[in-house]
Amino acid sequence: MKKIYSLSVATIALFSFSSSAQVTLVEIDFSGTGGVTTIASTDSQFTVKNAAVTFDDTATTFTAVGGGSGVGGWNYDGTGTAAVNNDLFTASNFGGTTRFDLDLGNAAAGQSYTITRVELDIRATNAAGGTWEFGYRKASDNSTVLVGSEAIATQSGTDPIATYFIDLTSHSLIATNSSTAWSTAANGELRWTFYDATAEGADNFQVAGIRVIGTTIPEPSTYALLAGALALSLVVVRRRK
């Protein structure tokens, strides 16, 4: 029994590292006053930065864009805990819509990560609610992709902020230490877009936080260590025979 047990521990350990659990890769909250424009990766509003993640532009890692002509910009709300927009763009659109852009780059040296889900903490108190989508620009052909369409339930009074998400597991959004599945050379590497088709211009659309969820694969040195343990287990088994 001891021979089987020593071999199984190493095998299970190696498997557990090769199939990582989902973790938060990046999390941003919105705390401040005035307008919401760009947020650097060093800003305290980046509350989570997984070790596997790097940024294409550390000075303007996150950008808030008001959208097309006549559409409102983003500001911190009166409590300083959310970004608010009072006039969303009026159609689904990758480039011209009200949006947030996140400039993630390649993975850190010796690592890789895969984006499997994006989340938003939202509260909308306008009459029509609003809708959000997630988008990215493909590195393979520079085409743009919009994923999902999450309608925001209209709230009122003191109703709390709710969490909405879009599943990205089928999109293979993988970053290695030398490339990504999305373009980091064009504007809008990862994009949250917002619109309200009614165009009444009386939105109160609040976003309190965003999260990028995914899996990571550790450095090759970790695998080397586990592989060594597995090899040692085999040697022990052979000597005991």
Side-chain angles (χ1 to χ4, degrees), residues 93-95 135-138 141-146 186-188 191:
N93 185 299
F94 183 83
Y136 62 92
R137 194 184 300 271
K138 284 186 177 180
D141 59 10
N142 211 36
S143 62
T144 57
V145 180
L146 282 173
N187 185 35
R191 180 166 290 181

Side-chain angles (χ1 to χ4, degrees), residues 67-160:
S69 176
V71 178
W74 292 96
N75 293 282
Y76 295 104
D77 73 351
T79 66
T81 59
V84 62
N85 193 295
N86 294 316
D87 189 8
L88 299 177
F89 196 72
T90 57
S92 176
N93 185 299
F94 183 83
T97 189
T98 311
R99 67 180 190 265
F100 294 147
D101 290 342
L102 180 62
D103 296 345
L104 293 186
N106 298 335
Q111 301 193 53
S112 70
Y113 65 88
T114 301
I115 297 172
T116 58
R117 172 184 174 115
V118 294
E119 296 181 346
L120 282 173
D121 299 329
I122 298 175
R123 180 172 183 263
T125 58
N126 66 316
T131 300
W132 77 279
E133 298 170 308
F134 176 78
Y136 62 92
R137 194 184 300 271
K138 284 186 177 180
S140 58
D141 59 10
N142 211 36
S143 62
T144 57
V145 180
L146 282 173
V147 185
S149 182
E150 291 294 314
I152 308 306
T154 302
Q155 300 178 347
S156 61
T158 58
D159 289 348

